[in-house]
Amino acid sequence: MNDILRFATGWFKLPALGVWLCIIAACQEQPKEMPQNTTKLILHPTPEFNADSAYTFVEQQVALGPRVPNTEPHRKAAEMFLSAFRRFGWEVQAQDFEAIAYNGTILKSRNIIASYNPQAKRRILLAAHWDTRPYADMDEDKSRRREAIDGANDGGSGVGVLLEIARVIGKQQDSLKISHIGIDIILFDSEDYGQPQDEEQVAFKKDSWCLGSQHWAKNKHREGYTAYYGILLDMVGAKDARFLLEGHSMEYAPSVVKKVWDTAHQLGFGKYFVYEATNSLIDDHLYVNQLAGIPMIDIIQYEKGSFGSFWHTHRDKMDIISKETLYAVGKTVLQVLYNEDAAIAEQ
Ligand code: AHN
Ligand code: ZN
C-alpha cells in the first residue's frame, strides 16, 4: 500500500512541475494590461537629436572592425568612447576588469562610464553594451559561424544613440542646459560573449551573457551609487524596428516603460514603440534590476521570439541601420531626460 502511495505521489510530482513551467511560459506570453497613452504629457523643449551624427557614431565603431574582447578593435573602440565623452564635456572613467567567459576564456573588459552633472543627487542611468559577438552562430552559412560579426545593430546602434545624446546635452548653454538632474551613461562590455546557440556539447551555463553589467552591479563605480531609474538600449538601429513591452521591464519598472512609450507616441513614433507585451529577456537591465536594485527598462527589438533575421549573423552590418529608427529612439530618450529635468525644476 505504501509503495503504491509513494509511486502515485512520485508520478504526480513530475508532470506537476512540467505543468507549472508551461503556465509560467504561457503567462509571459500573455499581453499585460497597459493603458495606452492616457496621460497627456507636456513636451518640454529639447535640443535637436542629429540622426546623421548618431549614424556616423555607429559607422565609426564598425570601421574599427568587430569589437570582440581581447582584440585590437576592442581596445581602440574603448579609447574612442573615452575621448568622445571627454570632448562632449562629460566626466569619464573606465572600469577595467577580467571576466571569465562560458568557455573559461579570460576577457580583458572595460565598462565605460560617463557622467553629466556628477554632483546632482537625482540621477538617470542610460546604458548599452559596446562589445560585439565573437560568433555568427545564427548565420545561414555554417562555414562562417565562428567569424566575428560587424555588430552594427547589436553593439553599435545603442552606443551611437547614446554618444549623440551625450554630444547634444554636453554642448547646451543657457535655457536648454540640463541643470537639475544628473545623467550617467554606462557602456557595458562583454555582454555578447554568451554560449553559442549551435554548440551542444557544452553544458548550459547560467549567466554567461551580460558579464559587464554583472560586474558593475556588484562593483559600482561610486560607493552607494543609485539612480531614479535606468534605460537600456539594445539593438535600436534597424530599419522598421519594433520595440515591445519586454517582460522584465514590465515586472521591475512598469511606470518607466509607460513614461517612455507614452513619450514616444506623443512624439509620433508609435510605429516603433508598440504597446504589446513580449516575454522576459536576459539582458543587461536584468542584472541592474536584480543586483543593483535600480529599476531599469530595455528598449530592444524583440518580437515573437526573434531579435530580427540578421541577429548574430553576418548581415548585422551598416546597411540594415536606419537613421529614422536611430532618431525615434534618440529623440524619445532625450525628451524623457528634458521632461525629467523640467519636472524637478518645477518642484
Ligand atoms: C539572450 O540571447 C539570452 N539575450 C539577448 C541579449 C543580447 C544578445 N543582446 C544582444 N545580443
Ligand atoms: Zn548579441
Side-chain angles (χ1 to χ4, degrees), residues 129 133 154 191-192 209 235 311-312:
H129 78 89
R133 188 144 179 77
D154 190 356
E191 187 275 347
D192 230 343
W209 303 82
M235 302 187 277
W311 183 65
H312 293 179

